[in-house]
Amino acid sequence: FNATIRKITTAGTVSTLAGVAGEEGFVDGAAATAKFNQPYGIAVDAAGTVFVADTYNRAVRRIAGGTVTTLNGTNSRFYYPQGIATDTAGNLYVADGDNQGIARGVFIASPASGGAIASVIVATGATANFTLGTAVAQTTYQWQASVDAGATWTSLNNGGNYAGATSVTLTVSGTTLAMSGTRYRAILTNAAGTGISGTATLTISATGTGVGPTGTARLINVSVRTFVDTGANNLTVGFGISGAGTKQLLIRGVGPTLANFGVTGVLSTPTLALYSSASVLMNANTGWGGGAALVTAFASVGAFALPGTSVDTALYQSLAAGTTYSTIISGANNTTGVALAEVYDADAGTPATRLTNVSARAFSGTGANVLAAGFVIGGNGTDTLLIRGIGPALTQFGVAGAIATPQITLYNGAGQQIGTNAAWGGGAVLTDAFSRVGAFTLAAGSADSALLVTLPPGSYSVQLSGTNGTTGVGLIEVYEMR
């Protein structure tokens, strides 16, 4: 016995559709390796699916898409089935020989895996719905969530933030920023088996009302990484200090050590210069020198270590509050490359003085060379920030080559997007926020961008890129609302 299913084309060509010639057995799977035991009957439906009465295996087999499966279920047992047929409604009829009967049934496929679910972006506190569409009869649903990018999944129950955990639509209410980035999927089960849907992501868009910080929340660090060019395209970072007295800051300009983190094309010989609000040079550094005081300062603020012999730059500076400053990173002898500027609040505890605004101006390219700024909120409570991405408005200050259509995108420490804007729109809330923090005005119809967000303590980053791949000089500003 060949124990195979053969196909003969109208041209007379014979081929094996499924089974291994001369090898009887009972094996599902790829058609070329599946096994049958004296198949007697065969039928083909309108879709080209082949059904086989596999007599000595006492089974009905299905061949579709190059795969053989067995249809026998809990309520369908056969005893030497010999004949099989289909009708136009998709029913199967089996001549069940030694049971002396005709069995009738409908083929039920396992739920398909990979069904699409749309990701959802909502504001903090809003409700999000994830759905697979219309419920399928005789199919059960179990929604699951993952907070580690899909590495592990937990089945959900109704209650708390969730409703519809076992229905075709999952409702997530009372959303918080901590839920941003959570992934969802559904497990579908019927009598034939189980399928797993595709995944969808919940993104919480941070919003703010202009209220100032609560608790002890405050800006404690800002960093900017970008390509440092020459002249007007050096990396310039500005910052303001509020309160009375002085604030201790650690300021760094890192180039060569970035290579240790896989960054290519680094600025080989950075120079760091600190200026007052009157553009008076206050201090400068080329090669930080490996001094013990700076090593201690790096450790106290949690900054990564720098080799003592590196030509990266650093200043540990006490500055008067109530004014603004700027630091410029450039390349010695007009060298260019990628550099990182960092400004750390080095005061211990909860000092009366605080960083209230930081800004970074540089060329924003594409891909890894977009202008990106990171910042850290310390303490407890929340901090409300005005974040702006400026391009067209820079031309009024004589800046050439400004990026024409800037877009800002805000990410949390897990890399999950929590806010974005392109063209700020001229709204009253943002206009009032500009005025309250002393930011220069923007034309209502300008393509400059802005976000007002309230954030818990943690690390964040904001990217300024050009829509449709445009490039140019851009300015990122982060203001603390007071």
Side-chain angles (χ1 to χ4, degrees):
F1 301 103
N2 274 332
T4 56
I5 309 301
R6 312 297 292 279
K7 176 183 177 182
I8 306 174
T9 68
T10 56
T13 302
V14 179
S15 61
T16 298
L17 183 65
V20 181
E23 294 187 19
E24 296 175 341
F26 196 171
V27 178
D28 281 340
T33 56
K35 293 183 180 181
F36 301 85
N37 193 354
Q38 298 188 40
Y40 275 25
I42 191 168
V44 182
D45 69 10
T49 301
V50 177
F51 298 92
V52 179
D54 192 7
T55 304
Y56 275 67
N57 277 329
R58 302 180 182 183
V60 173
R61 315 289 291 281
R62 177 178 182 263
I63 308 171
T67 301
V68 177
T69 55
T70 298
L71 300 188
N72 298 42
T74 303
N75 298 316
S76 56
R77 302 299 185 190
F78 300 100
Y79 196 22
Y80 298 116
Q82 297 176 14
I84 190 166
T86 65
D87 65 16
T88 56
N91 294 305
L92 290 176
Y93 298 87
V94 179
D96 196 6
D98 282 22
N99 273 329
Q100 301 185 33
I102 303 297
R104 176 180 179 270
V106 177
F107 168 66
I108 300 175
S110 299
S113 292
I117 306 172
S119 294
V120 178
I121 300 176
V122 297
T124 305
T127 296
N129 290 306
F130 298 91
T131 185
L132 281 166
T134 303
V136 178
Q138 300 181 343
T139 299
T140 62
Y141 300 85
Q142 175 60 64
W143 286 90
Q144 296 183 322
S146 174
V147 296
D148 55 10
T152 59
W153 292 88
T154 302
S155 293
L156 301 175
N157 297 310
N158 291 326
N161 298 102
Y162 298 110
T166 56
S167 69
V168 73
T169 298
L170 175 70
T171 298
V172 186
S173 58
T175 55
T176 66
L177 275 177
M179 299 170 73
S180 191
T182 302
R183 298 185 184 185
Y184 296 94
R185 72 180 187 186
I187 306 298
L188 297 79
T189 304
N190 65 13
T194 297
I196 303 175
S197 74
T199 63
T201 302
L202 173 63
T203 299
I204 308 302
S205 178
T207 58
T209 60
V211 177
T214 64
T216 60
R218 61 193 177 96
L219 283 171
I220 60 173
N221 160 249
V222 63
S223 60
V224 181
R225 194 192 83 174
T226 193
F227 183 83
V228 176
D229 211 329
T230 58
N233 292 328
N234 290 158
L235 171 56
T236 302
V237 178
F239 56 92
I241 304 172
S242 68
T246 60
K247 172 161 288 300
Q248 190 71 41
L249 295 177
L250 171 65
I251 306 169
R252 306 202 305 181
V254 182
T257 300
L258 291 181
N260 296 343
F261 300 96
V263 179
T264 58
V266 299
L267 185 64
S268 59
T269 51
T271 64
L272 174 65
L274 175 66
Y275 293 88
S276 70
S277 59
S279 298
V280 175
L281 179 64
M282 300 178 66
N283 206 343
N285 178 252
T286 54
W288 71 286
L294 281 173
V295 171
T296 300
F298 296 172
S300 70
V301 298
F304 60 84
L306 299 177
T309 57
S310 80
V311 293
D312 301 293
T313 59
L315 293 171
Y316 191 53
Q317 192 89 17
S318 180
L319 296 174
T323 187
T324 60
Y325 303 88
S326 63
T327 182
I328 297 177
I329 296 177
S330 59
N333 301 315
N334 287 324
T335 53
T336 62
V338 178
L340 174 71
E342 300 175 301
V343 179
Y344 293 90
D345 183 343
D347 284 334
T350 54
T353 56
R354 55 196 299 145
L355 285 170
T356 51
N357 69 80
V358 290
S359 62
R361 193 191 79 180
F363 182 84
S364 183
T366 59
N369 291 325
V370 299
L371 177 58
F375 58 92
V376 177
I377 298 174
N380 59 65
T382 61
D383 207 357
T384 298
L385 305 176
L386 171 65
I387 303 173
R388 306 203 305 179
I390 309 298
L394 292 178
T395 58
Q396 65 184 304
F397 302 107
V399 176
I403 192 166
T405 54
Q407 173 177 293
I408 52 173
T409 306
L410 177 65
Y411 300 89
N412 63 17
Q416 298 151 354
Q417 179 180 317
I418 58 174
T420 188
N421 177 255
W424 71 285
V429 173
L430 284 172
T431 300
D432 177 66
F434 299 171
S435 176
R436 288 175 56 184
V437 300
F440 61 82
T441 60
L442 299 177
S446 80
D448 302 291
S449 52
L451 287 171
L452 187 62
V453 295
T454 299
L455 303 171
S459 59
Y460 302 88
S461 63
V462 58
Q463 292 184 357
L464 186 154
S465 58
T467 59
N468 300 317
T470 54
T471 62
V473 178
L475 173 70
I476 292 177
E477 299 175 306
V478 180
Y479 294 91
E480 184 179 72
M481 297 299 298
R482 301 295 292 173

